[in-house]
Amino acid sequence: MAKGRKKLKIIPLGGLGEIGKNITVFEYGEDIIVVDCGMAFPDDEMLGIDLVLPDTTYLAKNKERVKGIVLTHGHEDHIGALPYVLRDVNVPVYGTRLTLGLLEYKLEEHGMLSKCHLQTVTQGQTINLGVFRVEFIRSTHSIADAVALAIHTPIGIVVHTSDFKVDYTPISGESIDLARFAELGKKGVMLLMCDSTNVERPGYTMSERTVGETFEEIFMNARSRILVATFASNIHRVQQVVNAAAKYGRKVAICGRSMVNVSNKAIELGYLTVPEGMLVDIDKIKNYRPEQLVIVSTGSQGEPMSALTRMALGAHRQVEIAPGDLVVISATPIPGNEKSVSGVINELFRKGADVIYEALADIHVSGHACQEELKLMHRLVNPKFFLPVHGEYRHLRQHANLAQGLGMEKERTLIMEIGQVLEINSSEARIRGTVPSGKVLVDGLGIGDVGNVVLRDRKHLSEDGLIIVVLTIQKETSGIITGPDIISRGFVYMRESEAFMDEVKQVCKEAIAKCQGKNCLLIKNTIKDILRDYLYHKTKRNPMILPIIMEI
Amino acid sequence: MAKGRKKLKIIPLGGLGEIGKNITVFEYGEDIIVVDCGMAFPDDEMLGIDLVLPDTTYLAKNKERVKGIVLTHGHEDHIGALPYVLRDVNVPVYGTRLTLGLLEYKLEEHGMLSKCHLQTVTQGQTINLGVFRVEFIRSTHSIADAVALAIHTPIGIVVHTSDFKVDYTPISGESIDLARFAELGKKGVMLLMCDSTNVERPGYTMSERTVGETFEEIFMNARSRILVATFASNIHRVQQVVNAAAKYGRKVAICGRSMVNVSNKAIELGYLTVPEGMLVDIDKIKNYRPEQLVIVSTGSQGEPMSALTRMALGAHRQVEIAPGDLVVISATPIPGNEKSVSGVINELFRKGADVIYEALADIHVSGHACQEELKLMHRLVNPKFFLPVHGEYRHLRQHANLAQGLGMEKERTLIMEIGQVLEINSSEARIRGTVPSGKVLVDGLGIGDVGNVVLRDRKHLSEDGLIIVVLTIQKETSGIITGPDIISRGFVYMRESEAFMDEVKQVCKEAIAKCQGKNCLLIKNTIKDILRDYLYHKTKRNPMILPIIMEI
């Protein structure tokens, strides 16, 4: 049979060796399907960048072969790149109701909703996409309606957990479908792709429900206004705030654009249940006494423009922090956000609020499986090969170690980089070849127009600023007509350093004098070289130097 | 008695509402003493800044009244500003042997050692400085030879713990002198100033000795080369590496400039003991087999230029990471460094090394007291008033709460901001008035010449780059002679956007056409306004726009 000789190709285009922009390509013969299509947030080196997309050149080149994009849940790192990628590769998108509900918002913002083909699936459903049969397995994560995938292929079954935790007591719906994983394991699974985010943490991730218990305690004792900041997408968390508010007779006001959007969508779709008359418009909170209110807001990561940050800085239009307010930050800072979150906490304390954050109480749980949960998944699925996904290199390595600790042979644990191609048939799996992959930077409306040169310039400008040397010269003789004038930005404060700038001007004059009769480029380079040495010697700084010479 | 009516003034110039640059002024009548004089590291907003100093204008203005500067230990955040501050306020500096040994290096680097007056004290000693009697109490911290202070003043005793932990089994020397704190408490202490760094952590900080036990286990099992990265100043940690190496027959090589400097000084002064013949020059490590070696290096914070980071990137001259190398990162990332440390760990794994870091084993302990240790200190000293120090606002607030939880009245717990003046006599303490305080930024050789305007420009340039519009005009008629030419840096990659730059040029031309007969400033502002709107509309970016007009 010809089919038997073909191989399944798996190509991660994001999410390995990094946190975020999760996207994986599955390919067999002529058929391609894609799992997830997420964005990532820029790191500190990417100055001025708004968000980061995966490089999907490979999909664009093969777009007529792509049967569809399958989504596991509605987090930004799983759906955030779709408004960009669907422009080039407009194929059907499959996801559960809430996942597609959140995606609709994004596509609408980009004016693309009417052009896209969204297909709702339910947990437990199976669909056919070309040669692939994709099964959506009920899962639990820090967002409702999450699924894992069993991808039935001609060479065998691939189980992709996506982000998950084993929550035996989730807030709504049923628990993760462990029985189905076990059943697949019994049948025989070729490859397990499994979430590595929390592989360094021993034990179990606590159930989302434990946070509700802490909320109840806090609400029971509070005598003032309560503000809870959390991730907009964590609808179960919001539900638990609503439940505690209902129990202790408080009204709920929702604050922050994404919190309002997601909550509305979740209420509309039935994922968030709020008793009649309990929701209060944020503009109307003045009508209630502090102890009658709880405000749910964005800003748990200290994001500069978020509702909570603006409240902390006294710059929020509707909510002013008052002494006695109780602020609960129901989240952990994502690596890189520690300082912003800490800054917000300090400002809230300064304004007289009490602040409860993770160091002080159990007001957050992770959405990802810890070591014991991962071991459970490995044992249930019992795969032939293992590919750790969703994590930095260290996480992938530790996850491979964990699998080997469970008895899997080293040769069957595969650590991949994005862009590499994994080829599997029924007996072997090997990494062979690469496709284009990487980061596409979005800055304002520009997609991919900011590259390394631009970032290097921004970095240079950010560290020592710039000095512009302007002069006009006579074209024939190179004689100076006007200038040199010196303009600086981000270098030193000009008003206090006029004398220094006069010296700089003098240095430029001497540099120009050395270039009599030379061409413009040579004069520029001479000014740059001499001025760079002079400035470094005098200040140990290295500003960008831009000589501008007008010849007339 | 006239003396009775005078008040003790305490003025923190740094270290409150922030981490770092610890410095406090004590003033009674005409006499001033200063406790510590530290620097801080720049935060993310301080683009291009190398380090941050406290504003010591107040000391410079009153320098003839300053009797001396008293140091509690040799960490940068307690001694790092001295090379700058001693230029203006050259008074005697008192500290223990190791503290002054480390300070000598710094002063030598700044060519100031011969001009300064350093006076060695020992743990337990008392000195007179004007009206003050300063007692150096034996303490334990993550650096050897640390002291707390009892400052005997005419209005009573002030106990300043500085940074400390209660380590019952320190590596060298004796444990913290709890008996002396108790004795002072019995006698009656007016004010306690106490370290707040770890106030959010319940329980006790583990003894430094526990890290040694982990080292022993690691060394016992290792079959390859070991690298340990830690803070250069943590001599006890280095001693424990040396001890484990001695036990398991490995040679020790020291790597990284500050590690070499501090170790040499510590060996010279007898704080670090290395068996004869055990130290190996880093250039000679090729002469030993991997399992005969341990390398101790800097870089535990992922600092870009540090030894470990360069090793991870394959850019270190003497040490190349080889598969099988075991790297132990014996430190916790300081807030803000999480991503750099993680990057180094990923690269080490990629090169085939095994990496042990805090998430995986007990290879680090803090140098600061946790809640139970703080409670012990409060109970022993039993002060009349309490001033939490060394921490962000949240830490100071939590520390005040902790004191109140021990029964202290709220009115007697004081939360201060830097620059505020605390006045105490024998019956009351109140905050009254302020002196100049804040941050002095050091950028290269410049001290304080980078202020808000410069930082704002750097920030602006870093986010969207700049566009320069150059033209020459005829002075009388404002007619264009050359230009407009467009130069951009850090905005978009020019080669790919020539057509766009042509549009920009056209927009500028139209703007200029609107200004016929107008003066230069008006033309500039018109170009700026029109171009800003155009660019934002087209790109949603807001680069700095610099119109340069030469009139001839």
Side-chain angles (χ1 to χ4, degrees), chain B residues 76-194:
Chain B
E76 290 290 353
D77 56 336
H78 290 255
I79 68 169
L82 279 170
Y84 304 90
V85 173
L86 288 178
R87 292 181 204 180
D88 294 330
V89 189
N90 194 355
V91 298
V93 179
Y94 302 84
T96 54
R97 233 153 45 103
L98 182 67
T99 305
L100 294 188
L102 296 173
L103 176 60
E104 277 170 16
Y105 265 120
K106 301 189 78 66
L107 294 175
E108 210 157 24
E109 271 184 359
H110 285 78
M112 289 182 60
L113 184 55
S114 60
K115 294 171 220 135
C116 298
H117 314 285
L118 309 187
Q119 305 276 348
T120 306
V121 297
T122 54
Q123 293 179 328
Q125 191 180 335
T126 297
I127 59 170
N128 289 306
L129 291 174
V131 73
F132 299 101
R133 206 153 54 78
V134 181
E135 180 185 346
F136 297 82
I137 305 172
R138 198 175 62 235
S139 182
T140 40
H141 184 41
S142 47
I143 186 168
D145 231 4
V147 294
L149 302 173
I151 303 174
H152 302 262
T153 81
I155 65 104
I157 299 170
V158 177
V159 169
H160 189 319
T161 67
S162 189
D163 295 342
F164 81 104
K165 67 190 277 189
V166 178
D167 195 336
Y168 297 113
T169 54
I171 298 311
S172 71
E174 292 170 83
S175 179
I176 179 169
D177 191 354
L178 292 176
R180 184 56 188 155
F181 288 102
E183 201 172 7
L184 291 163
K186 278 271 181 201
K187 225 165 150 177
V189 169
M190 226 21 221
L191 175 74
L192 171 65
M193 300 168 69
C194 185

Side-chain angles (χ1 to χ4, degrees), chain A residues 356-392:
Chain A
I356 301 181
Y357 41 101
E358 215 205 4
L360 305 177
D362 298 328
I363 34 83
H364 180 65
V365 294
S366 170
H368 298 273
C370 291
Q371 286 169 5
E372 296 307 310
E373 292 156 274
L374 294 174
K375 289 178 193 166
L376 174 62
M377 185 57 77
H378 281 260
R379 281 282 183 246
L380 289 179
V381 174
N382 190 28
K384 194 159 180 178
F385 296 100
F386 170 54
L387 173 62
V389 297
H390 298 186
E392 297 176 19

Side-chain angles (χ1 to χ4, degrees), chain A residues 200 342 357 449 541 552, chain B residues 200 357 394 449 490 541 552:
Chain A
E200 291 175 352
S342 198
Y357 41 101
D449 66 344
R541 293 181 207 173
I552 51 176
Chain B
E200 292 175 350
Y357 41 102
R394 62 195 255 196
D449 66 344
R541 294 180 207 173
I552 49 176

Side-chain angles (χ1 to χ4, degrees), chain B residues 149-386:
Chain B
L149 302 173
I151 303 174
H152 302 262
T153 81
I155 65 104
I157 299 170
V158 177
V159 169
H160 189 319
T161 67
S162 189
D163 295 342
F164 81 104
K165 67 190 277 189
V166 178
D167 195 336
Y168 297 113
T169 54
I171 298 311
S172 71
E174 292 170 83
S175 179
I176 179 169
D177 191 354
L178 292 176
R180 184 56 188 155
F181 288 102
E183 201 172 7
L184 291 163
K186 278 271 181 201
K187 225 165 150 177
V189 169
M190 226 21 221
L191 175 74
L192 171 65
M193 300 168 69
C194 185
D195 181 11
S196 311
T197 312
N198 271 356
V199 69
E200 292 175 350
R201 299 203 203 166
Y204 266 91
T205 298
M206 299 298 283
S207 170
E208 177 65 29
R209 204 168 287 273
T210 59
V211 178
E213 290 158 17
T214 312
F215 282 167
E216 288 227 359
E217 213 178 298
I218 292 171
F219 278 62
M220 188 173 67
N221 296 316
R223 295 284 165 270
S224 61
R225 188 166 65 168
I226 302 176
L227 291 96
V228 181
T230 191
F231 297 103
S233 62
N234 199 334
I235 291 153
H236 289 159
R237 191 68 51 85
V238 177
Q239 181 70 63
Q240 297 199 88
V241 176
V242 169
N243 295 351
K247 186 159 177 183
Y248 293 99
R250 288 177 186 253
K251 302 282 182 187
V252 175
I254 308 276
C255 189
R257 201 174 64 103
S258 61
M259 189 62 84
V260 170
N261 286 348
V262 175
S263 301
N264 284 344
K265 184 58 92 176
I267 291 173
E268 177 196 324
L269 298 178
Y271 290 91
L272 177 61
T273 314
V274 186
E276 190 71 27
M278 197 172 151
L279 271 187
V280 169
D281 194 283
I282 192 75
D283 286 314
K284 304 267 165 60
I285 56 172
K286 295 253 153 98
N287 301 339
Y288 298 87
R289 292 195 310 278
E291 69 274 19
Q292 295 178 314
L293 269 179
V294 53
I295 298 171
V296 183
S297 99
T298 53
S300 64
Q301 293 299 312
E303 306 93 325
M305 298 307 295
S306 68
L308 186 66
T309 305
R310 281 182 288 137
M311 290 175 204
L313 298 174
H316 195 276
R317 212 161 46 84
Q318 293 104 341
V319 185
E320 195 180 342
I321 298 293
D325 277 348
L326 178 64
V327 181
V328 180
I329 299 181
S330 179
T332 306
I334 293 168
N337 293 347
E338 293 83 354
K339 284 199 141 182
S340 323
V341 175
S342 198
V344 168
I345 293 172
N346 286 324
E347 287 310 312
L348 291 169
F349 271 126
R350 277 210 170 88
K351 291 208 156 39
D354 261 332
V355 192
I356 300 181
Y357 41 102
E358 214 203 3
L360 305 177
D362 298 328
I363 34 81
H364 180 65
V365 293
S366 169
H368 298 273
C370 291
Q371 285 169 5
E372 295 307 311
E373 292 156 274
L374 295 173
K375 288 178 193 166
L376 173 62
M377 185 58 76
H378 281 260
R379 280 283 183 246
L380 289 179
V381 174
N382 190 29
K384 194 159 182 180
F385 297 100
F386 170 55

